[in-house]
Amino acid sequence: MQQVQAVIARSKGAPVEVVTINVPAPGPGEAVVKVETCGVCHTDLHYREGGINDEFPFLLGHEAAGVVEAVGEGVTEVAVGDSVVLNWRAVCGECRACQRGDLQYCFATHNAKQKMTLEDGTELSPALGIGAFAEKTLVAAGQCTKVDPDARKAAIGLLGCGVMAGIGAAINTGQATRGRSTAVIGCGGVGVAAIAGASLAGSSPIIAVDIDEKKLAKAKELGATHTVNSKEVDPVEAIKEICGGYYEGAEGADLVIEAVGRPETWKQGFYARDLAGVLVLVGVPTPDMKIPDMPLIDVFGRGGALKSSWYGDCLPSRDFPMLVDLYTQGRLDLDAFVTEEIGIGDVEAAFEKMHGGNVLRSVVVI
Ligand code: APR
Ligand code: ZN
Ligand code: ZN
């Protein structure tokens, strides 16, 4: 066991604190990772606000990159010294989803069995089974994906959550490809990552929709060919006009990605598709939100699909190394997502900045 500094949320709504925690030596199937960087995500704030569950105290942070310091018995996934990006869904290989080959739907995810604790012995709940606003953290070895050690960790660590969710919504869930159009509604971190993914896949045109001009400017940097300010114009009409269609009255995008998580933007996405278009929901609605009241005939009278994307339907072992390589080759601009590098004591301030809309990601550098 060793003691390190870490950021915890002790109770609902209380500001986060930097405290000393105990990190056990890795047991069978576990690894201790020396964390180098960890992005500040909305989900950390949700934990802090009690919106996920009430298993306080939480050890926050989950968009992390670092180096493996120690591994437990039987670990084959990674070795001491490997540079890794952490993921919150290490597939089990045994559940029904894994057995039929749909690894991206594995819900029996592996986390470390042992617990990290406060100095008084209180067990910590690591955010998304990771807990990486810490000098070191204990995870399941399968949560570590080995990547190019020379890549900038502050950038590649973001693949661990929001950026992967967006890129994966476009590439994995939406199957964006050359010769097909993509529209993305909501251009926060997730939405612009979806735009970057669609761009990587050769999709064109790529239409960014947001109510904030700053977000639209960022979307252009990451590959949007057109921008639509939905405060000023009807985004459905604008997307139809840009994309055209099979015949008059059936225009729209081949792929629409909803990255806000609200009924009204989902409805815009629904009607902005062409006849065979796919709508992917990657924004997370709150439990009280309902599908908008719409004529059922509008669902029947067209093909296409309505999908949801969870963690970008990613397989970390396949997708993380590929995207890190694309980054080091200069083909994927992950640096664009890093707005600022901050210290371990600055997480609360980073939460405050999230509301302003000027920050894609604050990244804690440890
Ligand atoms: N129409 C278009 N864009 C909108 C609208 C709207 N009605 N309302 C908000 N937006 C834009 C905001 O301006 C912002 O750019 O949606 C974006 C949301 O971005 P962030 O708040 O930065 O959220 P992000 O991290 O991108 O996550 C988006 O995906 O993973 C989920 O929980 C996450 O639901 C959230 C969504
Ligand atoms: Zn499984
Ligand atoms: Zn996250």
Side-chain angles (χ1 to χ4, degrees), residues 20 28 32 41-42 58 76 82 89 92 115 141 149-150 158 168 185 212 215 241 265-266 277 289 307 342 347-348 364:
T20 302
V32 168
C41 174
H42 288 91
F58 292 109
T76 54
D82 282 352
R89 194 178 50 204
C92 78
K115 291 284 184 191
D150 295 330
L158 300 183
I185 303 177
D212 180 343
K215 300 301 178 86
E241 196 176 327
T265 40
W266 185 89
M289 289 177 182
K307 300 177 111 180
I342 60 174
V347 172
E348 191 60 39
V364 174

Side-chain angles (χ1 to χ4, degrees), residues 39-44 62-63 88 128 158 160-163 311 361:
V40 182
C41 174
H42 288 91
T43 304
D44 295 304
H62 59 274
E63 295 189 340
W88 43 265
L128 293 172
L158 300 183
C161 184
V163 174
Y311 205 177
R361 275 294 184 270

